[in-house]
Amino acid sequence: MTWFAERVLAWHDGHGRRDLPWQKQQTPYRVWVSEIMLQQTQVEVVRPYFERFIARFPNLASLAAADREDVLRLWAGLGYYARARNLHSAARQARHGLPDTLAGLVALPGVGRSTAGAILAIAHGHRAAILDGNVKRALARFHGVSGRPGERAVEQTLWAHADAHTPSERPGDYAQAIMDFGATLCRRANPACSICPVAARCVARAAGRQAELPTPKRAKPLRERRTRAFLLIDPDGACFLERRPDDSIWGGLWSPPERPLDTDVAAFAAKWNIDVERALSPPTARHVFTHYRLLVTPHCLWVRERPAGAPTGDGYVWHRPEDGRKLALSALAANLLAGLDGGFALE
DNA sequence: TATTCGTGGTC
DNA sequence: TGACCAAGAAT
């Protein structure tokens, strides 16, 4: 075992997080679900979603037998909904048991090399490397790897370091140790070098380059999309929703209909002023109803404020040009139900 | 290789 | 408070 792995593992044994929900019964199914939820998502955000999901779908068979709608409902609010769609699809593909090889796991939708490695190491005890954002940051600093992760050469170098440090003893514990180490000590900002178990041989630490590594992505210009939301409210205050296409944002979830700015409002209203489905608890539930009044968001801008390279960041925000007030679309319908001004939150 | 996908944490 | 990004994968 390398000095680095030994030190990180020892640190985790004494100070790491070892009582997380998915660390209790480390079955392939539970590890798989947790690793998918944890993609680009912090531990404390995942925790309640994991508990609810496992309570409802305790094993592979129950998930495979579930309706996709129910899977998405449990995922609502967690983001990156392709993960839920892929998870459900993969459960049906592997209905009789998850693969226990790298190639078999990577063949499942939503499972890449790093997630497959985590499942193999944690659930099966195989010597498999992982390379998530935490590991990239820790290894880039420890070995002084310059260059943006994303460049082929940098990626290859980091994978090589990750593999070299992965021990044949306790590979699952090491996988969780190195991720926890990156998340809690070798943080992006304010790394805890003073108590770091590997600071003595850290290249970045010796050179005072902790803040420079890993090399940050290039900042990119803002983009903007303009669309219009159609908010149909029935006499009870329920809001009409429709299911979004899988390949769009919030794919598979329910939201107020979204159309181009030049959409014919009258035609749209005529089309929907019949029996349609409504939702009492947007954006996922459906009910049948008949009469709606149509509210059209006034010159709403659907603005992508995030710089590309920083995934979604400030998110998708509805702006009202008159006063600049803004609100996430996910809260728009809820505010309409509450009788707030045009769906925009009031101070 | 670059973009897209989301919500919330952090400074 | 806006900017950046987190237990990545798909396209």
Side-chain angles (χ1 to χ4, degrees), chain A residues 27-93:
Chain A
T27 66
Y29 173 74
R30 289 170 58 96
V31 171
W32 171 52
V33 171
S34 71
E35 287 302 326
I36 299 299
M37 284 189 172
L38 286 162
Q39 289 170 0
Q40 297 289 288
T41 311
Q42 296 182 4
V43 163
E44 292 310 319
V45 177
V46 166
R47 191 194 292 266
Y49 283 88
F50 179 81
E51 302 274 23
R52 284 194 295 268
F53 195 93
I54 289 296
R56 178 69 183 279
F57 306 119
N59 50 48
L60 188 59
S62 60
L63 179 58
D67 289 336
R68 196 181 78 156
E69 188 88 359
D70 292 329
V71 178
L72 278 169
R73 184 174 292 116
L74 278 180
W75 209 276
L78 193 55
Y80 286 135
Y81 301 101
R83 296 184 297 177
R85 302 194 302 270
N86 287 334
L87 192 73
H88 185 230
S89 172
R92 295 190 164 183
Q93 283 182 35

Side-chain angles (χ1 to χ4, degrees), chain A residues 85-159:
Chain A
R85 302 194 302 270
N86 287 334
L87 192 73
H88 185 230
S89 172
R92 295 190 164 183
Q93 283 182 35
R95 190 181 296 264
H96 302 298
L98 292 168
D100 61 353
T101 64
L102 190 63
L105 284 167
V106 169
L108 294 176
V111 179
R113 181 174 172 185
S114 186
T115 298
I119 296 171
L120 288 174
I122 297 169
H124 297 286
H126 294 178
R127 201 194 78 84
I130 59 168
L131 189 64
D132 69 344
N134 291 313
V135 181
K136 287 179 184 177
R137 185 171 57 253
L139 294 178
R141 284 173 175 165
F142 184 75
H143 291 288
V145 178
S146 297
R148 289 177 294 106
E151 290 176 18
R152 180 183 300 277
V154 175
E155 206 76 6
Q156 284 180 347
T157 298
L158 292 175
W159 267 112

Side-chain angles (χ1 to χ4, degrees), chain A residues 320 323 325 327 335 339-347:
Chain A
R320 188 163 66 175
D323 53 13
R325 222 153 23 180
L327 188 71
N335 278 304
L340 298 178
D341 176 22
F344 287 82
L346 299 175
E347 295 303 325

Side-chain angles (χ1 to χ4, degrees), chain A residues 77-335:
Chain A
L78 193 55
Y80 286 135
Y81 301 101
R83 296 184 297 177
R85 302 194 302 270
N86 287 334
L87 192 73
H88 185 230
S89 172
R92 295 190 164 183
Q93 283 182 35
R95 190 181 296 264
H96 302 298
L98 292 168
D100 61 353
T101 64
L102 190 63
L105 284 167
V106 169
L108 294 176
V111 179
R113 181 174 172 185
S114 186
T115 298
I119 296 171
L120 288 174
I122 297 169
H124 297 286
H126 294 178
R127 201 194 78 84
I130 59 168
L131 189 64
D132 69 344
N134 291 313
V135 181
K136 287 179 184 177
R137 185 171 57 253
L139 294 178
R141 284 173 175 165
F142 184 75
H143 291 288
V145 178
S146 297
R148 289 177 294 106
E151 290 176 18
R152 180 183 300 277
V154 175
E155 206 76 6
Q156 284 180 347
T157 298
L158 292 175
W159 267 112
H161 286 308
D163 183 67
H165 288 303
T166 301
S168 47
E169 310 91 40
R170 303 179 61 194
D173 289 340
Y174 172 75
Q176 307 204 63
I178 181 66
M179 286 190 283
D180 200 34
F181 169 73
T184 63
L185 288 189
C186 198
R187 301 179 294 253
R188 183 178 63 86
N190 299 322
C193 301
S194 63
I195 59 172
C196 174
V198 297
R201 300 188 189 179
C202 178
V203 172
R205 165 78 158 166
R209 298 183 61 205
Q210 298 97 316
E212 305 168 20
L213 296 176
T215 307
K217 300 169 192 167
R218 285 191 293 260
K220 289 180 184 167
L222 304 181
R223 292 190 170 195
E224 183 180 281
R225 292 181 191 169
R226 300 187 175 208
T227 73
R228 192 192 301 277
F230 289 82
L231 301 162
L232 289 77
I233 311 300
D234 74 14
D236 291 340
C239 182
F240 170 66
L241 305 175
E242 66 182 13
R243 196 171 70 80
R244 304 180 64 91
D246 281 355
D247 60 356
S248 70
I249 188 167
W250 304 312
L253 295 184
W254 296 78
S255 79
E258 177 212 331
R259 297 290 186 276
L261 280 178
D262 59 1
T263 298
D264 185 330
V265 174
F268 183 89
K271 177 179 178 182
W272 290 109
N273 194 20
I274 53 175
D275 286 302
V276 290
E277 298 168 304
R278 68 165 179 164
L280 286 177
S281 53
T284 54
R286 289 176 298 166
H287 301 273
V288 176
F289 197 74
T290 52
H291 304 293
Y292 287 86
R293 62 192 170 93
L294 179 63
L295 302 181
V296 179
T297 54
H299 308 294
C300 273
L301 308 179
W302 190 22
V303 180
R304 304 212 57 170
E305 290 190 316
R306 79 173 180 86
T312 51
D314 290 322
Y316 297 82
V317 179
W318 292 94
H319 286 251
R320 188 163 66 175
E322 304 89 81
D323 53 13
R325 222 153 23 180
K326 59 186 180 181
L327 188 71
L329 180 57
S330 57
L332 198 56
N335 278 304

